[in-house]
Amino acid sequence: MLQTTKDGSKTLVRITEDMVGSRIDDLRMQLQEVVKAGGIEMVIDLEDVKIVDSLGMGLLVATHNSLKTKDGSLTLINVNPNIYNILTIMRLDKHFSIHKAV
């Protein structure tokens, strides 16, 4: 579900499946472990993610909030254009960096 690579205070997290209700609890625990392990600057690669439901959106916001309390940051990369549109409509791009897949 998650593949992580750490480089100093920056952690690259690649999510390898859709962020939907049935998978959110496991994903939440894994992301919390990354934050607890000192992942202050987190870059989440969503290249393999085609669907993000409301629980997935909530998890992204919660991850951002957890990082923010540690003066950290969240960046999303390789975001599917449909997901990108939803994130920007929700104005989440005002809270963390979002980069559309090319």
Side-chain angles (χ1 to χ4, degrees), residues 66-79:
S66 294
L67 292 165
K68 189 175 174 184
T69 64
K70 295 181 165 196
D71 292 324
S73 64
L74 174 64
T75 301
L76 304 180
I77 62 172
N78 296 319
V79 180

Side-chain angles (χ1 to χ4, degrees), residues 27-46:
L27 188 54
R28 178 179 292 115
M29 287 188 298
Q30 292 174 4
L31 286 172
Q32 286 173 347
E33 289 301 316
V34 172
V35 172
K36 285 180 189 175
I40 301 300
E41 296 177 49
M42 187 181 298
V43 177
I44 299 180
D45 185 343
L46 297 178

Side-chain angles (χ1 to χ4, degrees), residues 45-69:
D45 185 343
L46 297 178
E47 182 176 9
D48 296 327
V49 177
K50 304 299 179 226
I51 300 170
V52 178
D53 68 8
S54 60
L55 293 175
M57 295 290 178
L59 179 57
L60 292 173
V61 171
T63 301
H64 162 71
N65 291 339
S66 294
L67 292 165
K68 189 175 174 184
T69 64

Side-chain angles (χ1 to χ4, degrees), residues 72-99:
S73 64
L74 174 64
T75 301
L76 304 180
I77 62 172
N78 296 319
V79 180
N80 173 300
N82 293 328
I83 297 169
Y84 178 86
N85 289 339
I86 293 168
L87 292 168
T88 56
I89 287 169
M90 294 176 66
R91 301 179 55 93
L92 293 178
D93 58 327
K94 306 298 181 201
H95 300 279
F96 48 85
S97 225
I98 305 169
H99 303 277

Side-chain angles (χ1 to χ4, degrees), residues 1-4 12-16 43-45 47-48:
M1 192 174 234
L2 282 188
Q3 298 171 349
T4 60
L12 174 63
V13 176
R14 185 168 185 191
I15 298 177
T16 58
V43 177
I44 299 180
D45 185 343
E47 182 176 9
D48 296 327

